[in-house]
Amino acid sequence: MKQFAIASILLLATTVAARSEDCPVAPDHSADVSGVIAQIQQAENEQAARALNNQLWELWTDAPDESAQAVLDRGMTRRNAWDLLGAIEDFDKLITYCPSYAEGYNQRAFAHYLRQDFQAALPDLDKAIELSPNHVAAISGRALTLLGLQRVDEAREALSQALELNPWLSERHLMAPGGPLAPPGEDI
């Protein structure tokens, strides 16, 4: 029985490794992302920044291949329909198949966040940011998650980092006087 369990674990590990080797490298959009962020930083108003932000989402959600794109799209559709467990299941599959694709982690974190499972969301956000350091949505999501965990100073720091990249984020109001992330002394 013990040998069967060990063999099953080895088979599963081999299958996961083989599957992740099948995923091509995600398209490198880092230069395009940096260019769009530079445009956002120069935007004259929130509406102009929002249109540019949509371009970022197009880049971030450009999956490595058609299979990964289908799973990502299905997971996002399920999340939008509030089938959060189904979405997490799809994002688990995407991460297993494409472990170096940042958006899989970001989307799974968002589903966990919506379930208010902040502990589960945080490692996924950290991984998304590790893979895509200028992923503004993951950085601001990290700030919201840290706020959900009542780690206010860390949340403030993360949101400041996100706002350096995109000063038009709607979350900027959290740092306004009276907001939950207002700098100390400005929260009253």
Side-chain angles (χ1 to χ4, degrees):
M1 186 70 158
K2 192 176 193 180
Q3 291 172 336
F4 177 74
I6 293 172
S8 295
I9 291 170
L10 290 175
L11 178 62
L12 177 63
T14 304
T15 302
V16 169
R19 290 187 63 198
S20 66
E21 290 174 8
D22 293 339
C23 180
V25 175
D28 182 5
H29 293 304
S30 56
D32 294 329
V33 167
S34 294
V36 173
I37 288 172
Q39 291 176 44
I40 289 172
Q41 292 168 341
Q42 300 301 314
E44 292 187 21
N45 56 49
E46 187 172 357
Q47 184 178 2
R50 191 175 300 128
L52 291 164
N53 195 57
N54 291 339
Q55 292 179 27
L56 288 176
W57 280 110
E58 290 175 20
L59 297 169
W60 292 326
T61 59
D62 183 18
D65 66 12
E66 288 181 22
S67 296
Q69 190 69 58
V71 175
L72 174 65
D73 293 345
R74 185 178 62 227
M76 291 171 62
T77 298
R78 290 172 113 178
R79 187 205 60 230
N80 290 341
W82 286 89
D83 176 7
L84 300 177
L85 294 177
I88 290 168
E89 182 181 301
D90 282 333
F91 299 137
D92 286 346
K93 291 175 186 174
L94 178 59
I95 290 166
T96 298
Y97 178 58
C98 297
S100 62
Y101 178 49
E103 197 56 33
Y105 296 96
N106 185 55
Q107 291 297 324
R108 184 169 70 181
F110 187 27
H112 284 305
Y113 177 85
L114 291 173
R115 294 183 69 235
Q116 298 186 358
D117 187 350
F118 306 123
Q119 289 290 349
L122 194 56
D124 280 344
L125 291 164
D126 290 341
K127 185 65 176 181
I129 295 164
E130 175 189 322
L131 293 169
S132 182
N134 286 342
H135 199 308
V136 180
I139 298 167
S140 64
R142 186 173 189 278
L144 294 172
T145 299
L146 289 165
L147 182 59
L149 291 167
Q150 300 180 357
R151 292 164 55 180
V152 175
D153 290 338
E154 292 173 85
R156 184 180 302 115
E157 183 180 324
L159 187 54
S160 293
Q161 181 185 4
L163 290 170
E164 285 178 23
L165 296 170
N166 181 352
W168 295 102
L169 288 174
S170 61
E171 292 87 354
R172 71 185 183 276
H173 302 295
L174 296 172
M175 293 187 70
L181 297 181
E186 293 182 25
D187 55 347
I188 54 174

